[in-house]
Amino acid sequence: MGFLVQLELENFKSYRGKQIIGPFKKFTAIIGPNGVGKSNLMDAISFVLGEKTSNLRVKQLKDLIHGAQVYKPVANRAHVTALYQDDDDSVLEFTRTIIGSGSEYKINGEVVSHTEYNKKLESIGIYVKAKNFLVFQGAIEAIAMKTPKERSHLFEEISRSGELTQEYEEKRVSMLKTQEETTTTYHKKKAILTEKKDAKAEKDEAEKYQKLKNELVKIQTQEKLFLLYHAENSINNYLDQLGVKRTELNDLAFQRGNTEQSLKDRKQKGARLTREMATIDKIIKDKEADVTKSQPNYIKAREKTAHVQKKVEQTKKQYEKAMLVHKRRQSEIESLEKELEEVKGMLSEYEVEATQESQEYSLQLQQEQMEEYHRLKEKVCTQATQLHQKLESVQREQRLDEENVHQCKQRTSELQARRQQLVDQRTQLQNRLDHLDSYLDTNLHNVDDLKHEKEAIEQEVSQANLRCKELNEVMERINDDLKDARVDRHESSRSQRKAENLESMKRLFPGVYGRVIELTEPIHRKYAVALTKVLGKNMDAIIVDTENTGKECIQYLKEMRAESETFLPLNTIKANAPKEMLRKLGGTSKLLIDAIKWDPPEIKRALQFACGSAIVCDTMEEARKIAFMSGDRERKKVVSLDGTLFQKSGVISGGASEIKHKAKRWDEKQIDILKRNQEKYLDEFKELTRVKRKGTNVTDLETRIFGLESRLKYTQKDRDTTFNESMPHNQQELESTEERLSQIEPEEDDLQRRIEQRNIKLGNIQSQIYDVEDSVFNQFCKRIGVSNIRQYEEKELRSQQERSKKKLEFSNQISRLQNQLQYEKNRSTEEMVTKLEQQIKNEEDSIENLKKEEKKSLRIIDRKDDDLKETKVEREEKKKEVDEHETSIKDLRKSLTQTTKDIAAVHKQITNQESELESKRAERHNILKDCKIEDIRLPLLEGEIESVDTDVASSQAETLEDNMDVDLPSSTSQSQSALHHILKKELNIKIDFTQLVENLKETQSAGEVKEKASELKRRVAKLESLIATISAPNMKAMQRLDGVENKVHEINAEHEAARVSAKKSKAEFEQIKKKRCYLFNASFDHVSTQIDPIYKELSNNTSAQAFLGQENAEEPYLDGISYSCVAPGKRYRPMDNLSGGEKTVAALALLFSIHRCLCLYL
C-alpha cells in the first residue's frame, strides 16, 4: 500500500512562500493549537488530489492564494505538490497550480489535462467523486448516526454502483411498461375470444333468416322476370307491327336527315369555301407581294452574272489568243532548240569526218621539202603582199555585210511577230469596244425602264395613301356610330343556335315568316323602349301562317332537341282592330301599332294581337292621365316613352334597365348596314395596304438604278479610254512597226547586192594570187608530183580551209539560233497566259458564286411563282366548286321540302301505335322502378338497375300526351322530355331471362299471364308474412364475425409483439441489475468481512463484535444496511443506545474497514 511522502506548498492559504512539509510516515498525526494551519494543510491535500473549490471553504479558486482573503494577494499564482510513494518505492509527483481563475495539472512535472490527472489518481485507488480518501471534521459522528438507507447510499458511492442508477431506473421503467402492455393485450385477447363466440351464434341465426329472404327474393325475381319477359314480348310485338311503317318512316327520316345533314354540311362547306376563297385571295395577294419583293434581288444577281460572264468571255478570248501566241512561241522555242541541237550534232560529226579525211589523204613531205615549201610560201607572200592585204580587206567587208544581213533578217522576224501581236491586240480592243457599246445600250434601256416603273409605283402608292386617308376617316365615323349604338358585340352561342333553327324552319316550312323583331321596326327610335315593353315575350315570337305549321315547327324543335319557342299562327289568333277614337285622344298620344313599320303586310294580324289597343305617350304624366281618365268607364293600356306601363288592371310597371337594354335590338338593322360597309371598307383597305407595300419596291428600284448608273459611268469611262487612248496607241505602234519593216527590206537587198559584187572582186584577187603561186612553186610542184601547189593545198590546206569555213558556218548558224532562241525566251507570253488564267479562274469562281446566288434567287422566285400559280389554280377550282355548291344547295332544299311533307303524313299514321308502345315501355319502367325501390336484384346482361329514375310520377310514365297547344307550356314539355330521356336510358338495361322458369316463358295469352302473375304475387305475400313473424336478426353477423376474427389475429400479433418486447426489456434490466448488484456486493462483502476484526482491534477485546446486514438481500441498494455492535462486556444494543465513545469506536471501525483497501486516508 502506497502513502503520502511529502507536500510542497507555495503561497497556498496561510503558507506564504515556498513551504515543504514532511516527510510523512505511513501513519502520521498532525497536532497543534487552533490557527496554526492544520485545516489549511488538509485543504492543501484535498486541493492537490482534485477536490472541488466549494469543499475547500472558499468561493473562488483564486481565494486560495495567500493574502487573497484580505484582498492583498502576495502573488497571482500558487501551487501544491504531493509526493506519493508506491509499494515498489517508485515516487509520483502530483502538482496543481492556480493560474488566474483556473488550474494547471502536472504529473512528474509534465502538464496534463484534468481527465488524465483524475485517471492517474484513480489508478492508485483515489476516487475524487467517491470521497474515499478524506474524512473531514464531524464526519465520524455523521457516519455513526447514518440511517440504514444512508449507509446503503454510502456504499453505492464507494462501489460506484450509483453511477448505474439512472440507467437502472430507465430499464426498470421500460420493463414495467412492457409487462403492463403484455397484461393489457392478454386481457384484450380473452375479451375478443368471447366476442367471437357471440358473433358466431348471431351468424347462425342470420343465415337461417337469410335463407328465407333468399327464397323470397328468388320468387320476387321470378315474378318480376315473368312480368318483364312478357312486357318485352309485347313491346317486341308492337315493334313488329310497326315494322313496315317505321321502316318507311325511318327511310324517310333517314332521307330527310341525310338531306338536312347534306344541306347543313353544304352550307357549312359553302361558308368554309367562302372563307377559304377569302383566305386564298389574301394568300395570293401576299404571295404576289412576296414575288414582287423577291424579283429585284434576282434581277440584280442576273445582271451581275451576265456582266461577269461577258467579262469572262472576253478574258477567255484574250486567253485563247495569248495561249495561241504562247504555244507558237513554245513551238518556236522547241523548234529552235531542236535545230540548235541538230546543228551542234552536225558540227561534231563534221569535225570527226574532217579529222579522218585529213589522216587518209595527207601528202607526206620530207623535212627539206617542208622547209622549201615554207620558204617558197614566204616568197609568195612577199610577192603577193598587196594582193593578200587587199583580199583580207575585201573579206572583212564581206563578213561585216553578211553579219548585217543576218541582223536584218533577225530584226525583220522580230518586227513581224510584234506586228502580229499588235494586230491581235487591236482585234481585242475592237471586240471590247463592241461589247462595251452593247452593254451601254442595253443598260441605258434598262435604266429608262426602271425609272418609268419607279414613277408608276410612286404614283400608285401616292394614290393609295390618299385613299387610305379617306378610308380612315370613313372608318372612324362608322366605328363612332357602332360605339354609340353599343352593339359592336358577339352573338352568344345560344342566339346563334336559335337563329340557325329559325333559318332551317323557314326552309322546311314555307308558312314561317320570322320573328316579330325581325319583321318590324319603330317609325322612330324614341318609340323603341315603349314598343319593347308592350311586346314583352312576343318580341321574339315566331309568326307562322297556320296552326298546323306551328305544330310541325314544334315537332321539328323536339326532334332537334332545341329550346322551346312561341308561335303566333295568323289563322287562329284573336286580334281585334283598335278603335278609331283612340287615335283622337290628343296630346302626344297615339296608338302603338301606328308607331310600327312592318313587312310583309300579312303579319299585321299578329301585331294587332301582340300590341292590342296599347297607346304610347311621350311623358309618364300624360300616360297616367290617359290611363285613368275619369270620364271613361273602360281603362286603357298606356305606355310612356321611358317604358312605364299602365295596364288596364291598374298595375303600373316601370321601364327597367333590362327593357332599355333589350330595346337597343331595334337598331340592329341599321347596324347591319354599318357593319357591311365596315367589312367592305376593310377589304378595300387591305387591298390598298397591299399596294402600299409596293413602296418598299421603290427603294429596291432606286438601288438598282443607282447601281446601273454607276456601272454605266465606269463602263463609259472604260470605253472612252479604250477608244481614245488604247486604240490610237496601238495604231501608232503598228504603223511604226510597218514603217520599220519597210525600211529594213531595202537595206537587206542593198547588202545582198554588195555581197554578190564583192564575191566577184574576191574571185579576181584570188586568181592573181594563184598566178604568183604557180610561178614560184613551178619547180617544186614538179618534184613532188603535183600540177600546182594548190593541188597539195587542196588536199591539205584546202581541206583545212573548208573545215574552217564549215566550222564558221556552223558557228554562225549556232549563234543565229541562240540569238533567236534567246529572243523567244525573253518574250513574256507565259506571264500573260498565267495572268489570264488566274483572272479567268477568279472570274469563274465569281460567276459560280453569282450563279449560285442567282439560282437561289431564281429558285425562290420560281418556287413562289409556282406556289402562286398553284394558288391561283386552286382559287379557280375553288370558285368552280362554290358555284357548283350553290346549285346543289338549291336542289337539296327542294328535296328536303318534299321529304318533310312525306314524313308528316307517315308520322300521323304511326303516332297511335307509338303511344301504345310507349305505354308498354312505361309499364316496363314501372316494373324496373319497383325492382329498384324493393331492392330486387335482377340478372342483367348490360346496364345497372340503379340507373332507373324513381322521381318521375307513374301517371306520367303510363300516359304520354301527344296533343300540343300552339304555345306549348314549358313545364309539360320538360316533363315529357324528362320521361323520354328516362325511357331512353333504360333501353341500355338488358335483362338475362335464362333464370326464368321455362313453364313461365311458355304462357301465351293475356289471361294466362295475369293468372300466373297473381299466383306468384300470392307466394310472395305468404313468404313476406312468414318473415314478418320472425324478429330480424343482425344481418351483419357475418361481417361482424369476419371483423372479430381479424381483430383476434391483430390482438394475437399485438400480444406476441408485447411479450417479445417485455422479454427483451426484462433481459436488459436483469443485465444492468446484475452489474449493479455485483459492484455493490463486492464493496459490501469486503467491508462486512473487515469490520469485525477492525472493531475487535479498536476495542482491544476479542469479545467485541460488529457486523453489517442487508435489509434486501436480492437488491441491497434499494433498501438500507443495518450496522450493529456488541461492545466489550455488554449485550447487543441498537446504535442509538450506545454511549458516545462506543459510537465513535463503531464509526471508526466502519470508516477503517471502508478505507482498508485504499492507498491512504486522512
Side-chain angles (χ1 to χ4, degrees):
M1 182 183 295
F3 63 96
L4 185 64
V5 178
Q6 180 178 297
L7 281 176
E8 180 181 314
L9 295 83
E10 183 176 2
N11 295 327
F12 185 81
K13 279 201 166 185
S14 59
Y15 297 96
R16 181 171 183 174
K18 189 174 182 180
Q19 304 291 336
I20 296 175
I21 301 173
F24 298 116
K25 305 297 181 182
K26 286 191 175 182
F27 186 87
T28 303
I30 299 174
I31 60 174
N34 291 337
V36 298
K38 301 188 295 298
S39 298
N40 290 340
L41 183 61
M42 188 73 170
D43 290 341
I45 296 172
S46 301
F47 172 76
V48 76
L49 295 179
E51 189 60 67
K52 293 182 180 179
T53 307
S54 59
N55 294 328
L56 300 177
R57 301 181 296 166
V58 292
K59 294 181 179 179
Q60 299 179 5
L61 198 62
K62 61 184 180 180
D63 292 341
L64 296 174
I65 299 174
H66 182 77
Q69 292 184 349
V70 294
Y71 307 106
K72 294 181 180 180
V74 297
N76 59 358
R77 58 191 298 164
H79 78 270
V80 177
T81 302
L83 299 179
Y84 173 79
Q85 181 176 335
D86 212 342
D87 293 337
D88 56 358
D89 294 333
S90 61
V91 177
L92 287 174
E93 182 181 304
F94 295 93
T95 303
R96 183 179 180 186
T97 305
I98 300 171
I99 301 175
S101 59
S103 298
E104 182 183 70
Y105 300 92
K106 293 182 181 179
I107 299 175
N108 293 331
E110 183 180 353
V111 178
V112 297
S113 65
H114 180 259
T115 303
E116 293 175 351
Y117 194 79
N118 283 340
K119 284 183 179 179
K120 191 63 176 178
L121 290 173
E122 289 175 1
S123 67
I124 60 176
I126 298 175
Y127 297 94
V128 178
K129 292 181 180 180
K131 300 180 182 179
N132 58 353
F133 60 92
L134 296 174
V135 180
F136 292 93
Q137 287 181 346
I140 295 175
E141 184 178 356
I143 289 172
M145 298 306 295
K146 280 185 182 292
T147 63
K149 190 65 178 176
E150 291 173 343
R151 292 193 198 97
S152 177
H153 183 67
L154 176 63
F155 273 95
E156 279 207 288
E157 288 183 350
I158 295 169
S159 64
R160 302 183 72 183
S161 64
E163 296 177 1
L164 302 174
T165 302
Q166 183 178 356
E167 186 178 0
Y168 172 85
E169 288 298 328
E170 290 176 355
K171 300 295 183 183
R172 186 178 68 84
V173 170
S174 176
M175 180 189 71
L176 293 175
K177 184 177 180 181
T178 53
Q179 287 177 350
E180 184 180 353
E181 289 176 355
T182 304
T183 304
T184 303
T185 54
Y186 175 73
H187 290 306
K188 284 184 181 179
K189 183 177 179 182
K190 287 180 66 177
I192 201 66
L193 289 174
T194 304
E195 186 179 353
K196 180 180 178 183
K197 184 177 179 182
D198 296 339
K200 190 173 183 183
E202 287 182 357
K203 175 197 167 188
D204 295 338
E205 184 179 353
E207 286 178 348
K208 181 180 178 182
Y209 181 81
Q210 188 64 36
K211 186 176 181 182
L212 291 173
K213 291 284 287 183
N214 291 340
E215 186 177 356
L216 174 62
V217 169
K218 183 178 179 182
I219 296 174
Q220 286 178 332
T221 305
Q222 289 293 314
E223 179 192 9
K224 299 302 180 184
L225 286 174
F226 174 75
L227 295 175
L228 287 169
Y229 178 78
H230 289 285
E232 290 191 2
N233 282 343
S234 298
I235 291 171
N236 293 332
N237 290 334
Y238 279 118
L239 291 173
D240 293 338
Q241 293 172 9
L242 290 171
V244 177
K245 291 294 180 182
R246 188 174 293 282
T247 301
E248 183 180 357
L249 181 63
N250 288 339
D251 291 341
L252 290 171
F254 181 74
Q255 182 179 350
R256 185 181 69 178
N258 287 341
T259 307
E260 287 178 349
Q261 185 63 38
S262 298
L263 184 59
K264 185 177 180 181
D265 293 343
R266 293 278 181 175
K267 289 187 68 179
Q268 292 176 352
K269 186 177 179 182
R272 179 173 57 80
L273 289 174
T274 304
R275 291 193 299 271
E276 289 177 356
M277 279 281 292
T279 304
I280 291 173
D281 289 338
K282 185 177 181 302
I283 292 172
I284 289 173
K285 292 175 184 177
D286 295 340
K287 288 182 178 179
E288 286 176 348
D290 197 13
V291 169
T292 305
K293 189 176 180 181
S294 302
Q295 284 176 347
N297 295 331
Y298 169 69
I299 294 171
K300 188 185 296 184
R302 187 177 63 186
E303 289 176 352
K304 288 179 68 177
T305 305
H307 173 71
V308 177
Q309 280 180 338
K310 291 179 180 179
K311 191 174 179 182
V312 169
E313 290 174 1
Q314 293 177 0
T315 308
K316 282 185 177 180
K317 290 179 181 179
Q318 294 177 4
Y319 173 76
E320 289 174 359
K321 293 178 181 179
M323 195 66 188
L324 186 62
V325 173
H326 177 67
K327 286 181 179 179
R328 286 202 300 264
R329 172 178 165 274
Q330 290 293 108
S331 176
E332 186 71 22
I333 290 172
E334 291 175 359
S335 175
L336 290 172
E337 288 178 346
K338 184 177 179 181
E339 186 178 356
L340 181 62
E341 292 295 327
E342 289 176 355
V343 171
K344 287 182 178 179
M346 292 170 61
L347 176 60
S348 300
E349 291 175 359
Y350 176 75
E351 288 178 348
V352 173
E353 290 176 359
T355 304
Q356 291 176 354
E357 288 177 0
S358 174
Q359 293 176 355
E360 290 176 0
Y361 299 104
S362 176
L363 179 61
Q364 300 293 330
L365 297 178
Q366 299 295 326
Q367 181 67 28
E368 293 176 358
Q369 291 174 339
M370 285 298 297
E371 291 177 357
E372 186 179 359
Y373 170 77
H374 289 300
R375 182 174 53 79
L376 292 174
K377 195 70 176 171
E378 290 176 356
K379 185 178 179 179
V380 169
C381 289
T382 303
Q383 293 178 0
T385 300
Q386 292 181 354
L387 292 174
H388 279 293
Q389 289 177 352
K390 187 177 181 180
L391 179 64
E392 288 177 359
S393 174
V394 173
Q395 285 179 342
R396 280 196 303 273
E397 292 176 356
Q398 185 76 347
R399 283 194 299 271
L400 182 62
D401 286 342
E402 286 178 352
E403 289 180 359
N404 290 333
V405 168
H406 176 70
Q407 289 178 358
C408 285
K409 289 182 178 180
Q410 188 172 358
R411 286 201 308 276
T412 301
S413 177
E414 290 176 355
L415 289 172
Q416 286 176 349
R418 178 59 181 164
R419 182 181 62 186
Q420 185 62 37
Q421 184 178 0
L422 290 171
V423 170
D424 294 339
Q425 185 178 359
R426 183 176 184 80
T427 304
Q428 291 177 3
L429 290 172
Q430 188 62 44
N431 291 335
R432 179 173 178 79
L433 280 174
D434 295 340
H435 168 70
L436 292 174
D437 290 338
S438 175
Y439 181 79
L440 286 170
D441 292 339
T442 302
N443 284 286
L444 284 172
H445 289 300
N446 290 338
V447 169
D448 293 337
D449 294 340
L450 290 174
K451 286 182 177 179
H452 291 315
E453 183 180 356
K454 175 190 169 188
E455 291 173 357
I457 292 175
E458 286 177 344
Q459 184 177 2
E460 187 177 2
V461 170
S462 176
Q463 293 175 356
N465 287 329
L466 292 174
R467 181 56 182 164
C468 283
K469 187 176 180 181
E470 295 174 0
L471 287 178
N472 283 328
E473 295 175 355
V474 175
M475 293 281 287
E476 285 179 1
R477 290 197 299 270
I478 292 175
N479 289 331
D480 291 340
D481 293 340
L482 290 174
K483 187 176 180 182
D484 293 340
R486 297 181 181 178
V487 294
D488 192 9
R489 52 180 171 76
H490 297 287
E491 289 186 306
S492 65
S493 59
R494 178 171 176 267
S495 300
Q496 290 177 356
R497 287 197 300 270
K498 294 183 76 172
E500 290 173 359
N501 291 332
L502 179 59
E503 290 297 323
S504 299
M505 287 188 289
K506 284 183 179 179
R507 289 195 310 271
L508 298 175
F509 311 110
V512 179
Y513 291 101
R515 298 187 187 277
V516 173
I517 191 172
E518 295 173 354
L519 302 173
T520 62
E521 63 176 325
I523 59 175
H524 193 276
R525 290 186 61 182
K526 69 179 183 178
Y527 296 112
V529 176
L531 180 58
T532 303
K533 181 69 175 181
V534 173
L535 291 179
K537 68 175 184 178
N538 290 326
M539 188 175 180
D540 290 317
I542 299 173
I543 302 175
V544 295
D545 56 353
T546 63
E547 184 178 356
N548 290 333
T549 302
K551 289 181 178 181
E552 290 175 351
C553 291
I554 292 171
Q555 182 64 29
Y556 172 78
L557 292 174
K558 286 175 62 180
E559 292 173 356
M560 296 300 293
R561 297 290 189 271
E563 296 184 29
S564 61
E565 297 281 3
T566 300
F567 294 87
L568 300 177
L570 296 177
N571 66 334
T572 58
I573 56 175
K574 297 179 180 180
N576 298 321
K579 297 177 181 180
E580 286 298 323
M581 59 173 293
L582 297 177
R583 292 189 171 94
K584 302 176 182 179
L585 293 176
T588 60
S589 66
K590 65 168 57 180
L591 284 172
L592 183 60
I593 197 168
D594 293 341
I596 303 174
K597 293 186 295 185
W598 63 85
D599 186 47
E602 293 84 356
I603 66 171
K604 180 178 180 181
R605 184 176 178 82
L607 296 179
Q608 289 175 343
F609 168 79
C611 297
S613 299
I615 301 170
V616 59
C617 299
D618 288 356
T619 64
M620 185 175 65
E621 292 299 329
E622 185 181 0
R624 179 185 290 107
K625 182 178 179 181
I626 293 174
F628 303 112
M629 189 178 293
S630 59
D632 290 344
R633 293 175 295 175
E634 183 182 356
R635 290 184 178 178
K636 302 175 183 63
K637 185 177 182 179
V638 187
V639 63
S640 64
L641 294 182
D642 62 356
T644 304
L645 177 63
F646 298 88
Q647 297 184 3
K648 291 181 180 181
S649 61
V651 175
I652 304 174
S653 59
S657 59
E658 180 182 356
I659 296 297
K660 295 178 181 178
H661 179 74
K662 191 175 180 182
K664 293 179 181 178
R665 295 172 61 190
W666 296 104
D667 298 329
E668 288 185 354
K669 292 182 180 179
Q670 184 64 28
I671 298 307
D672 289 339
I673 296 173
L674 289 174
K675 285 187 175 180
R676 284 195 294 271
N677 291 335
Q678 185 184 38
E679 291 175 357
K680 182 180 73 173
Y681 292 143
L682 281 174
D683 293 338
E684 185 180 356
F685 190 80
K686 290 177 182 176
E687 182 65 24
L688 291 173
T689 304
R690 185 184 69 80
V691 174
K692 287 170 65 179
R693 282 200 296 268
K694 292 183 179 179
T696 57
N697 296 342
V698 174
T699 305
D700 295 336
L701 290 173
E702 289 176 349
T703 304
R704 290 172 58 191
I705 290 170
F706 178 76
L708 285 174
E709 289 177 344
S710 298
R711 288 196 291 274
L712 286 172
K713 179 180 177 182
Y714 292 122
T715 304
Q716 184 65 41
K717 185 178 180 181
D718 189 9
R719 195 256 181 206
D720 294 341
T721 303
T722 303
F723 184 77
N724 297 326
E725 297 180 8
S726 300
M727 289 285 288
H729 182 268
N730 177 271
Q731 181 66 28
Q732 183 179 0
E733 190 174 355
L734 182 62
E735 291 174 356
S736 175
T737 304
E738 292 287 351
E739 183 180 357
R740 290 169 65 189
L741 279 173
S742 63
Q743 291 175 358
I744 289 173
E745 187 174 354
E747 183 181 354
E748 184 179 355
D749 293 341
D750 184 50
L751 288 173
Q752 290 289 350
R753 188 181 67 255
R754 286 162 58 187
I755 288 171
E756 290 175 358
Q757 291 176 359
R758 200 176 284 112
N759 285 333
I760 296 171
K761 187 177 182 180
L762 287 172
N764 295 329
I765 295 172
Q766 191 67 41
S767 298
Q768 293 176 8
I769 293 172
Y770 288 162
D771 292 340
V772 174
E773 287 180 348
D774 290 341
S775 62
V776 174
F777 283 98
N778 186 20
Q779 296 299 324
F780 181 77
C781 290
K782 290 179 180 180
R783 285 196 300 274
I784 61 175
V786 293
S787 60
N788 55 49
I789 192 65
R790 286 183 300 281
Q791 188 177 1
Y792 166 73
E793 289 177 348
E794 285 176 357
K795 292 181 180 178
E796 185 66 31
L797 297 178
R798 189 177 62 189
S799 62
Q800 290 180 0
Q801 290 176 356
E802 288 178 355
R803 285 196 296 271
S804 298
K805 184 179 179 181
K806 199 72 173 176
K807 286 180 180 179
L808 179 60
E809 290 177 356
F810 281 121
S811 175
N812 291 334
Q813 192 172 0
I814 288 172
S815 176
R816 180 181 63 79
L817 291 174
Q818 285 178 343
N819 291 333
Q820 192 173 355
L821 184 62
Q822 183 66 31
Y823 169 75
E824 293 295 338
K825 285 184 178 180
N826 289 336
R827 289 173 61 196
S828 180
T829 59
E830 185 175 0
E831 182 180 351
M832 177 62 70
V833 170
T834 305
K835 181 179 179 181
L836 291 173
E837 283 179 351
Q838 185 63 36
Q839 184 177 351
I840 289 172
K841 183 180 178 183
N842 294 337
E843 290 175 350
E844 285 179 346
D845 292 341
S846 177
I847 287 174
E848 189 66 28
N849 295 330
L850 290 172
K851 282 185 176 180
K852 288 180 180 178
E853 184 178 352
E854 180 184 347
K855 287 180 180 178
K856 182 179 178 182
S857 301
L858 184 59
R859 280 198 302 270
I860 293 172
I861 293 174
D862 290 342
R863 186 177 69 248
K864 292 179 179 179
D865 237 346
D866 295 341
D867 196 11
L868 179 60
K869 289 178 182 177
E870 291 176 0
T871 308
K872 288 183 178 179
V873 171
E874 183 182 353
R875 185 188 182 283
E876 294 299 324
E877 294 176 353
K878 192 67 69 177
K879 182 69 170 61
K880 186 178 179 182
E881 186 178 356
V882 169
D883 296 339
E884 294 174 354
H885 198 71
E886 290 294 333
T887 305
S888 64
I889 286 176
K890 292 179 181 178
D891 296 338
L892 282 173
R893 283 177 177 170
K894 293 179 181 178
S895 176
L896 183 60
T897 304
Q898 184 60 40
T899 304
T900 304
K901 292 180 179 179
D902 294 340
I903 287 174
V906 174
H907 192 276
K908 290 179 181 179
Q909 297 174 10
I910 65 173
T911 300
N912 296 330
Q913 295 179 358
E914 284 183 343
S915 299
E916 294 295 331
L917 180 61
E918 291 297 326
S919 177
K920 284 296 180 181
R921 286 177 175 171
E923 181 182 344
R924 180 177 182 272
H925 163 75
N926 291 332
I927 297 171
L928 292 174
K929 184 181 70 172
D930 293 340
C931 291
K932 180 178 179 181
I933 293 172
E934 297 172 10
D935 196 19
I936 297 173
R937 299 294 175 180
L938 295 176
L940 301 177
L941 296 174
E942 293 180 10
E944 295 179 353
I945 198 69
E946 286 75 10
S947 62
V948 178
D949 196 345
T950 59
D951 296 335
V952 180
S954 298
S955 59
Q956 291 179 352
E958 290 171 359
T959 305
L960 289 172
E961 296 179 357
D962 193 40
N963 53 339
M964 301 176 66
D965 295 334
V966 174
D967 192 2
L968 188 65
S970 60
S971 60
T972 305
S973 176
Q974 290 175 0
S975 63
Q976 289 181 352
S977 176
L979 181 57
H980 281 297
H981 180 67
I982 290 167
L983 295 178
K984 185 177 179 182
K985 270 202 327 182
E986 290 175 359
L987 292 177
N988 297 326
I989 300 175
K990 305 295 182 183
I991 301 170
D992 185 7
F993 292 108
T994 57
Q995 296 185 14
L996 182 62
V997 181
E998 290 297 328
N999 61 350
L1000 295 178
K1001 293 181 181 179
E1002 294 172 358
T1003 306
Q1004 296 296 329
S1005 64
E1008 290 178 355
V1009 171
K1010 190 174 181 180
E1011 183 180 351
K1012 286 288 185 182
S1014 300
E1015 182 183 350
L1016 290 172
K1017 185 175 286 188
R1018 286 194 299 272
R1019 292 177 62 187
V1020 168
K1022 183 179 178 180
L1023 278 174
E1024 285 178 345
S1025 62
L1026 178 61
I1027 292 171
T1029 59
I1030 302 172
S1031 58
N1034 183 9
M1035 298 308 296
K1036 295 184 179 180
M1038 179 60 74
Q1039 293 88 335
R1040 182 188 172 198
L1041 181 60
D1042 293 339
V1044 169
E1045 287 180 347
N1046 291 334
K1047 286 182 180 179
V1048 168
H1049 292 306
E1050 291 175 0
I1051 291 174
N1052 283 338
E1054 185 180 353
H1055 177 67
E1056 183 63 24
R1059 191 181 63 80
V1060 171
S1061 178
K1063 185 177 180 181
K1064 181 180 178 182
S1065 298
K1066 186 175 181 181
E1068 293 175 351
F1069 173 71
E1070 289 295 334
Q1071 184 178 0
I1072 194 67
K1073 171 186 171 184
K1074 183 178 179 181
K1075 183 177 179 181
R1076 187 176 181 187
C1077 287
Y1078 172 76
L1079 293 174
F1080 189 89
N1081 287 332
S1083 299
F1084 177 79
D1085 292 342
H1086 174 75
V1087 173
S1088 61
T1089 304
Q1090 296 292 328
I1091 193 168
D1092 188 62
I1094 291 173
Y1095 186 68
K1096 284 181 171 60
E1097 187 176 354
L1098 289 175
S1099 301
N1100 197 20
N1101 191 327
T1102 57
S1103 62
Q1105 296 180 10
F1107 51 88
L1108 296 172
Q1110 295 177 348
E1111 294 180 359
N1112 187 344
E1114 184 177 357
E1115 293 186 83
Y1117 42 78
L1118 296 179
D1119 295 315
I1121 295 177
S1122 61
Y1123 178 32
S1124 302
C1125 295
V1126 178
K1130 293 186 179 180
R1131 300 182 300 173
Y1132 167 76
R1133 292 183 182 180
M1135 186 64 69
D1136 294 340
N1137 295 334
L1138 295 178
S1139 63
E1142 290 172 346
K1143 287 181 181 179
T1144 301
V1145 173
L1148 286 174
L1150 178 59
L1151 185 61
F1152 290 158
S1153 63
I1154 289 172
H1155 291 79
R1156 175 57 66 97
C1157 63
L1158 302 179
C1159 61
L1160 60 92
Y1161 52 88
L1162 304 171

